Amino acid sequence: MKKFFTRQPVVILLLLLAMIGGTALSAQAHSTKGRLKVPLDEDVIGVDDVAYFVESHVHRHRYKDRFAKSKNRFYVKDFKGVEQNGKKADIHFIVLDVKDNSDFSDKMSIFQGHDKVWRYQPENGPPLEMHTYVPKWRHYYQSYMLPVSAGGLVAAAGLLVFLRLRKRKKGVSPCETWKH
């Protein structure tokens, strides 16, 4: 009995990790609070990247021409996944029809343009640029901090090379600099 109580925290931790891992399969991208709307320009996309666009498009536009009363009728019930093949991808999902209280499978095919932004081509009309929502801190980090830190790294490497060449011109060997 003593062994069980010493392993109990480990068992509880494993159960919590399993529960968290199980919820990661469905789309986590529903709330836009604290997030910024940005064009979807990722090289490899997943369900969380496309969920914002697909949910909005299904609810507002996708079945407008097929059903007379489509307003507030269709919702994405669940995402099955994204099959990406280079610059093309298929998004598989289940749609809930609240009028009939039924669901059905559907998919959307998307492509990545020359500007790296993903687009959806509806049957009637021009291609629609896809968007996603990212946390504000991530957007600011990728837009401002990462380029500045990369520039700082290049400047530091350049300074190191400059100092190394300057010491060589003075005739001091690299081994002697460590002695002082």
Side-chain angles (χ1 to χ4, degrees):
M1 194 64 141
K2 210 173 197 183
K3 288 182 180 181
F4 176 76
F5 289 112
T6 58
R7 293 183 186 167
Q8 188 175 11
V10 175
V11 172
I12 291 173
L13 181 64
L14 288 174
L15 287 173
L16 284 173
L17 288 174
M19 288 187 331
I20 291 169
T23 60
L25 296 175
S26 62
Q28 301 295 318
H30 294 286
S31 174
T32 58
K33 185 178 181 180
R35 294 175 176 257
L36 293 174
K37 183 178 178 179
V38 296
L40 180 57
D41 61 356
E42 300 290 326
D43 290 330
V44 178
I45 56 173
V47 170
D48 288 333
D49 298 319
V50 298
Y52 291 107
F53 179 84
V54 173
E55 287 174 346
S56 174
H57 186 73
V58 165
H59 182 64
R60 296 180 181 155
H61 306 289
R62 185 149 175 90
Y63 305 104
K64 190 184 265 187
D65 297 337
R66 298 182 207 170
F67 298 93
K69 295 182 180 181
S70 65
K71 188 174 182 177
N72 296 328
R73 180 175 173 179
F74 299 100
Y75 297 89
V76 175
K77 181 178 179 181
D78 193 22
F79 285 91
K80 291 184 174 182
V82 177
E83 292 178 11
Q84 184 175 345
N85 188 7
K87 294 184 178 261
K88 293 184 179 186
D90 290 329
I91 306 163
H92 298 274
F93 51 92
I94 298 173
V95 178
L96 173 65
D97 181 352
V98 294
K99 181 180 178 186
D100 300 338
N101 197 23
S102 62
D103 55 25
F104 57 92
S105 294
D106 200 358
K107 80 172 187 173
M108 292 173 64
S109 296
I110 60 174
F111 66 95
Q112 191 176 30
H114 295 295
D115 57 355
K116 293 184 67 178
V117 176
W118 288 90
R119 290 177 172 76
Y120 167 67
Q121 176 68 57
E123 293 174 10
N124 304 329
L128 302 174
E129 186 175 280
M130 295 183 71
H131 62 274
T132 190
Y133 286 84
V134 296
K136 287 181 183 179
W137 66 267
R138 182 173 136 196
H139 173 71
Y140 292 133
Y141 176 76
Q142 290 177 339
S143 299
Y144 304 110
M145 295 299 291
L146 204 55
V148 169
S149 62
L153 183 64
V154 169
L159 181 64
L160 184 65
V161 169
F162 172 75
L163 292 174
R164 183 98 171 149
L165 290 174
R166 194 168 134 204
K167 283 195 180 220
R168 280 192 182 168
K169 282 185 180 181
K170 286 184 178 181
V172 178
S173 71
C175 293
E176 291 179 12
T177 57
W178 290 103
K179 291 179 184 177
H180 294 93

